[in-house]
Amino acid sequence: MIRPDTFLFDNSYAAELEGFYVPWQGAKAPEPRIVQLNRDLAAELLLDPDALAGEGGAAIFAGSDVPAGAAPLAQAYAGHQFGGFSPQLGDGRALLIGELIDRHGVRRDLQLKGSGRTPFSRGGDGKAVLGPVLREYLIGEAMHALGVPTTRALAAVTTGDRVLREGLEPGAVLARVAASHLRVGTFEFFSAREETEKVRQLADYAIRRHFPELADQDDRYLAMFREVRDRQADLVAQWMAIGFVHGVMNTDNMAIAGETLDYGPCAFIDGYDRAAVYSSIDHRGRYAYGNQPAIAQWNLARLVETLLPLLDPDDGEHAIAVANTEIEAFEAIYQKCWLERMSAKLGLARTEADDLALVTEVFRAMDGQDVDFTVLFCRLADAARGDSTVARALFADPTAFDAWLPSWLARLEREDGGASSRAAAMDRVNPVYIPRNHKVQEALDAATAGNLEPFQRLLTVLERPFDRREGLDEYEGRAPDGFGPYRTFCGT
Ligand code: AMP
Ligand code: MG
């Protein structure tokens, strides 16, 4: 059995934000079983992995048993989904179990996703199934290993239920860990109800939790907004740098803390394509790869709108003017983040005036060429070492690449140590292994059919994405032609 002192909860959301949630409990799972436990993360949370690995842990992670000290609750939030406002979403199939202070003194949410119906479930069954739970596990952990801020997976469990989706599928729950689950949509929930004091209370809570250095500033709400904006700009720049497509950047899926949140219909691009869309419901490409920065800015505009009464309680026009300036600034901030990330991918450590043009040019060269985005940057490191033949061969028509290559190599020579010395730095930021869509699908299909081996192997590969290893060639390349166009689904 799990000892009562296993989880040392410290539940600030439950204690400080009454009225922002409904206390609730998970459904009873017939036969909870751990599929995967993240032992390193457990240790980081000062939990005992051995104690959690057994039946007691499975029942807790399934939502069946409430551990001592937990204050399980369903959070209220709203959100703009594909541009349209839904005033009430909320945790329809998730529960915040409590908060833990980790080894570094950081407060982290422990949330269960798929633990049964709540007052926010609307027509949904409150459940999740194994494939999507393992997808979130895999991709979240891969993102973490890639250095991208993200929620983490602590455990995946099956419940023993069969849940109706396309057919009957194994019911499952993901235990996930987040800096918090405060979303843009949490602010929208209270703003839409014109509950300004609740928006203020929420903002003060967010500041205490995520931006404590701002707490004493008179303009702390504006300062908080700037912080959220800047973190989002860098987050999306990091997504762009690894070819990640979130797929459902609704405002309820944008975390105030700046972590990647809610892995639903996400995917990674193989061939470089700004228009890449994988989600089966994103017919207009709103959340396409290349649209992500603009959507982040749009979502931030929804956030700053909720803060207007706090920015200037007496002069609405002035508040709007201030907000507009801050929103417009996103573009330049994003471009700076993007340039930094992409410069690093190209091995640039110093900055020079023409770097933006140089980086922009390589993207122009990739346009319409269906060049494998991940492989190209690995092969450019080879080019820095003196062999550009493989990189060049990735282009069907290398004319633009040929024009670009000498200017980049000349630029690299101006770095300390010259081009060859920058190749090792490129290897440290350009992943060899990303969650290739076909490998993810293969792993999830096998897991759903009862074979976890491909999932566990893929997870192990993705835990060290920059480190090329023997025998893992099949994880490096793009999908075979027979794989066809990839489609992903949300809410599954
Ligand atoms: P998501 O697509 O997971 O970001 O969820 C969007 C909204 O739909 C949230 O309010 C979820 O809680 C809710 N939701 C998604 N799937 C279910 C489900 N199976 N049962 C109840 N609510 C759900
Ligand atoms: Mg969501």
Side-chain angles (χ1 to χ4, degrees):
M1 268 331 302
I2 296 280
R3 289 170 36 153
D5 61 353
T6 300
F7 293 88
L8 298 174
F9 286 115
D10 184 297
N11 301 325
S12 66
Y13 193 93
E16 296 171 39
L17 291 178
E18 211 174 304
F20 291 70
Y21 61 86
V22 182
W24 204 252
Q25 296 210 355
K28 280 279 171 231
E31 204 180 334
R33 209 169 263 157
I34 294 200
V35 174
Q36 188 74 29
L37 176 67
N38 191 337
R39 289 178 162 266
D40 290 348
L41 181 58
E44 196 176 311
L45 295 167
L46 304 175
L47 301 172
D48 174 3
D50 293 328
L52 295 174
E55 275 177 27
I60 286 172
F61 292 138
S64 271
D65 280 1
V66 182
L73 58 87
Q75 293 179 312
Y77 56 85
H80 277 84
Q81 301 181 302
F82 289 91
F85 186 59
S86 300
Q88 178 158 324
L89 294 169
D91 286 335
R93 55 162 170 175
L95 287 180
L96 175 64
I97 297 301
E99 297 152 33
L100 296 164
I101 311 297
D102 74 12
R103 187 197 278 150
H104 312 288
V106 178
R107 179 178 298 276
R108 319 269 293 266
D109 275 6
L110 174 58
Q111 197 211 49
L112 305 181
K113 186 168 169 183
S115 53
R117 288 180 54 81
T118 77
F120 300 109
S121 296
R122 295 167 291 158
D125 60 9
K127 301 199 166 158
V129 293
L130 186 59
V133 161
L134 293 184
R135 171 196 288 280
E136 176 151 357
Y137 196 121
L138 261 180
I139 303 203
E141 290 307 294
M143 294 288 268
H144 172 70
L146 287 162
V148 181
T150 177
T151 63
R152 304 282 311 273
L154 178 60
V157 296
T158 45
T159 58
D161 272 331
R162 308 296 283 181
V163 176
L164 189 61
R165 289 295 183 261
E166 301 262 295
L168 281 177
E169 297 191 34
V173 176
L174 179 74
R176 78 175 174 193
V177 173
S180 81
H181 285 84
L182 301 178
R183 308 147 189 267
V184 171
T186 321
F187 285 85
E188 289 179 288
F189 184 93
F190 297 98
S191 168
R193 288 162 178 73
E194 297 186 14
E195 297 193 57
T196 301
E197 282 318 302
K198 281 230 161 74
V199 176
R200 185 188 305 279
Q201 198 184 340
L202 184 61
D204 282 330
Y205 176 82
I207 290 168
R208 279 197 301 281
R209 185 156 174 182
H210 298 302
F211 318 105
E213 67 284 0
L214 308 178
D216 298 327
Q217 294 188 19
D218 289 341
D219 65 348
R220 62 185 178 277
Y221 304 117
L222 182 62
M224 176 191 83
F225 176 74
R226 287 183 178 136
E227 275 290 331
V228 175
R229 176 195 62 195
D230 296 358
R231 288 187 190 190
Q232 282 301 325
D234 195 40
L235 180 67
V236 175
Q238 289 184 71
W239 293 354
M240 300 303 282
I242 54 170
F244 175 74
V245 184
H246 182 285
V248 60
M249 288 178 71
N250 295 333
T251 55
D252 51 305
N253 293 336
M254 187 186 263
I256 298 299
E259 291 180 337
T260 312
L261 173 67
D262 268 2
Y263 295 93
C266 57
F268 281 75
I269 56 171
D270 280 342
Y272 174 75
D273 176 11
R274 289 184 54 79
V277 171
Y278 300 92
S279 168
S280 60
I281 60 168
D282 191 1
H283 305 297
R284 296 190 184 179
R286 178 180 172 88
Y287 299 138
Y289 171 66
N291 267 2
Q292 297 185 115
I295 290 292
Q297 185 185 31
W298 192 90
N299 289 349
L300 288 164
R302 304 291 77 77
L303 175 61
V304 84
E305 278 167 7
T306 72
L307 303 175
L308 288 173
L310 312 185
L311 296 184
D312 191 331
D314 307 316
D315 184 348
E317 292 296 313
H318 177 242
I320 289 172
V322 169
N324 272 331
T325 307
E326 298 299 334
I327 288 292
E328 278 161 23
F330 176 87
E331 279 157 47
I333 294 163
Y334 171 75
Q335 193 188 62
K336 182 167 176 286
C337 295
W338 180 84
L339 182 59
E340 274 170 19
R341 299 278 168 192
M342 296 303 176
S343 296
K345 285 176 79 68
L346 290 171
L348 311 182
R350 307 169 44 223
T351 46
E352 286 189 10
D354 292 339
D355 286 350
L356 179 60
L358 185 75
V359 175
T360 307
E361 266 325 297
V362 76
F363 280 87
R364 205 163 287 158
M366 277 189 271
D367 248 337
Q369 295 283 321
D370 196 30
V371 178
D372 190 282
F373 184 71
T374 303
V375 170
L376 175 65
F377 285 92
C378 294
R379 296 286 90 92
L380 285 176
D382 297 341
R385 291 184 172 96
D387 178 8
S388 59
T389 49
V390 185
R392 184 174 192 272
L394 295 170
F395 293 81
D397 173 2
T399 313
F401 178 75
D402 287 343
W404 173 81
L405 184 68
S407 53
W408 171 58
L409 288 173
R411 169 67 183 79
L412 268 193
E413 284 302 341
R414 294 197 293 276
E415 293 286 334
D416 290 344
S420 57
S421 78
R422 296 306 304 156
M426 291 176 71
D427 293 341
R428 285 194 293 275
V429 294
N430 292 314
V432 177
Y433 308 113
I434 57 159
R436 296 277 179 177
N437 302 325
H438 64 294
K439 298 307 281 180
V440 171
Q441 200 54 48
E442 177 186 287
L444 303 189
D445 289 346
T448 303
N451 174 17
L452 283 168
E453 201 272 335
F455 165 80
Q456 285 162 343
R457 199 165 131 86
L458 180 56
L459 184 62
T460 309
V461 172
L462 296 173
E463 278 166 354
R464 284 157 58 201
F466 303 104
D467 183 7
R468 182 176 278 109
R469 282 155 278 163
E470 289 285 323
L472 299 182
D473 291 359
E474 65 180 292
Y475 295 93
E476 263 193 63
R478 61 193 304 166
D481 287 343
F483 186 64
Y486 191 49
R487 279 280 154 271
T488 54
F489 303 89
C490 53
T492 45

